Amino acid sequence: MKNNPKNLSHPVDIDLELWRDFQDGLSALIEVPLTLYDESAEVIVESGRVNSVCKRVKLDLKGRSLCNDFYAEVVAEAVSTRQSHIYKCHTNQYLFTVPVLLSCGAVLVIVGGRVYLEGMDGLSSVDGTVKKELFEGVAAFGFSLDTIERMKKGLKSIPKNGILSLPGIVENMAVPFLKGLGKFQEAAVNRRAEAATPVAPVSDLSSDVSGDSGVSDASSEAQRQESKTRTGFRALEEVYKSIAPVLDRELLYKTILDKTTELIGAERGSLMMLDKKKEYLSIKAAKGIDSDLHKGIKVKIGTGISGAIAAKGVPVMVADIEEEVPRHRRVSKYKTGSFLSIPLKLDDRVIGVLNVSDKITGAAFSEDDLSLLLSLANYATIALERGTYYTMSEEFKLISMTDPLTGLFNRRYFRERLFEEVERVKRHSGCFATFVIDIDNFKAFNDTYGHVAGDEMLKSVSRAIRGAVRGMDIVARYGGEEFNVLLPHTTKQESWVIAERIRESVEALNPESTAINELPTISVGIAEFPVDAKSIDELINNADRAMYTAKRMGKNRVVFYER
């Protein structure tokens, strides 16, 4: 598939379908839109992830003109300087350009970003009310506040230092792939041209007829090489698609190794990662190796083949270890002495090592195998790094929504879920119930037995509540000795059985110490939305009133809110 718009200094001929798949995969991996332009600022492959701000601004005549002029300028600068740049556009979004010089002389430009940056306080620029950057960026177009509110929905922001690293990531991953497509297409064109060259009659040939065989062999070899190259690109594309959606760290290790051995055609392999102190490598995934053998194995940086790869940061390809490294003998369990070891690097920082051995065919690994593996290694490294950030963000998210003492959800998260449940009921009718639970005489217990014993009681009561509710119910520590429970699709009457089960479970608890001779009890107040309240605060207050009624009635009981 060709792209050859007017006024280009060099015609561009690349497989756009292959590139489009790669572009979409890389965009999903780094979580920002990417678009490919030619040197005249014409879009070759549009991003599949255009955000709401860009869509709305381009519908405006003035906005569309500003966008076209802006992209013409940034593409022209990338073509002229042959360097990556970062810009802030008229909507206050940040983007970057990465130029790609093809072997035919044409320059393509990858434009990525169109994102807002997180503020210094760590809050998203589009979270909550309309933030300054977004508002000021689109206010000049005369959009109403309601329109701007709609535009900000679904927008994502990235950390301020994130935009600085993205051009380098795209250069390391996308540029080699795009250049490779250009070389492949150029070779294909040359082969087709050679095939179309007129052949002189046999009677005019002064050489032996056997010369035709050489021409035929060369043509066949070119066809085989073209097919092999295309197959390699397609295989890489399938690998990228498989890796991009995976966020779970352990599954990501396994997926990368499985796809690596499949791509290279190897029977054995291992993925090793550096520890936090960057002193040792440990095996995170293995294929064709007894799992019991590699568990707990650590390789010190600089020792052994993998340790040396991690220390030096350079790949190694060995056709036969016994010939190339005489002091090493091939272990009998390996079929061949050929292997590949590749460092996984982010910029100049090594984070792991990828090893493959025993090619299925029994042959030695080739330069083509090495090239494929290096291309995959760039992609795998970014996926692993993203997986690290994802794991960290999930841990931070869990910390932000849970109570550190009891492990229950905290007040903020509980109110968010209450809001969601209220909105659901408003849209689809229905109802839900909520409990306010308070430990009876907790202050006196704390004064008598101390805060350590008080904390243990809080944890025991938390476990009892969590063990008595349904899987769909949300349990939170609302503050101090007070707990709340959200019961979706449940009336007050239906919730009574669950409330009683909680009360009985707490009453049946045994003291943590023989020095404690008091058993905890709880008072429970129940309110239902929407019959008992029209808002979240009213609902909580009414359940709270019911709980205090239970206290006045003698404690250790369940009471409905009644108007």
Side-chain angles (χ1 to χ4, degrees), residues 86-308:
I86 296 175
Y87 303 91
K88 188 176 183 180
C89 77
H90 44 276
T91 63
N92 284 342
Q93 295 185 88
Y94 285 80
L95 60 135
F96 60 87
T97 58
V98 176
V100 185
L101 178 61
L102 301 181
S103 58
C104 65
V107 181
L108 303 181
V109 179
I110 302 168
V111 177
R114 302 184 184 97
V115 293
Y116 289 96
L117 303 187
E118 293 177 358
M120 292 300 291
D121 56 0
L123 296 176
S124 168
S125 299
V126 295
D127 192 31
T129 58
V130 179
K131 297 294 181 179
K132 181 180 178 182
E133 287 287 286
L134 171 62
F135 181 79
E136 291 184 352
V138 299
F141 299 102
F143 299 135
S144 67
L145 285 176
D146 288 341
T147 299
I148 297 174
E149 281 288 340
R150 289 194 297 271
M151 288 164 61
K152 76 183 181 68
K153 289 182 179 178
L155 283 178
K156 295 186 69 174
S157 62
I158 63 174
K160 286 195 171 183
N161 60 350
I163 194 71
L164 300 177
S165 63
L166 287 176
I169 291 173
V170 172
E171 284 180 13
N172 288 335
M173 298 178 63
V175 172
F177 190 88
L178 197 51
K179 285 185 174 181
L181 287 179
K183 290 178 181 178
F184 162 67
Q185 207 73 7
E186 185 179 348
V189 170
N190 291 339
R191 187 192 61 78
R192 288 193 292 268
E194 290 172 1
T197 302
V199 179
V202 174
S203 58
D204 293 343
L205 297 178
S206 58
S207 62
D208 190 88
V209 176
S210 62
D212 286 340
S213 176
V215 173
S216 177
D217 288 345
S219 177
S220 297
E221 178 58 30
Q223 287 179 330
R224 284 194 295 271
Q225 191 60 38
E226 179 183 340
S227 175
K228 186 176 181 181
T229 305
R230 180 179 289 274
T231 300
F233 279 124
R234 286 291 182 193
L236 271 177
E237 207 31 67
E238 291 304 314
V239 172
Y240 297 156
K241 287 180 181 178
S242 300
I243 293 175
V246 181
L247 292 173
D248 177 77
R249 198 155 182 74
E250 297 303 318
L251 180 58
L252 184 59
Y253 291 143
K254 183 178 185 304
T255 302
I256 289 174
L257 182 60
D258 286 347
K259 292 303 176 181
T260 297
T261 52
E262 181 183 323
L263 177 69
I264 303 300
E267 293 186 5
R268 298 172 183 266
S270 64
L271 173 60
M272 308 180 78
M273 298 296 294
L274 272 175
D275 62 358
K276 291 182 179 179
K277 294 182 178 180
K278 305 197 182 318
E279 295 178 351
Y280 293 93
L281 287 166
S282 59
I283 298 176
K284 299 298 184 180
K287 181 178 181 181
I289 304 172
D290 189 335
S291 59
D292 292 333
L293 294 179
H294 68 72
K295 282 182 180 177
I297 291 179
K298 290 187 176 181
V299 177
K300 189 173 178 61
I301 300 304
T303 63
I305 295 174
S306 296

Side-chain angles (χ1 to χ4, degrees), residues 449 511-518:
Y449 300 105
E512 294 290 330
S513 169
T514 55
I516 300 174
N517 53 22
E518 296 180 42

Side-chain angles (χ1 to χ4, degrees), residues 380-419:
T381 302
I382 302 302
L384 287 167
E385 196 74 356
R386 183 193 62 169
T388 299
Y389 293 137
Y390 174 79
T391 301
M392 289 171 59
S393 68
E394 288 298 299
E395 290 172 352
F396 291 145
K397 188 187 299 182
L398 185 61
I399 290 171
S400 72
M401 67 174 59
T402 55
D403 172 59
L405 177 65
T406 64
L408 298 179
F409 291 118
N410 59 23
R411 177 185 183 129
R412 184 184 64 80
Y413 179 77
F414 185 78
R415 289 185 68 87
E416 287 178 0
R417 290 303 306 270
L418 269 180
F419 175 79

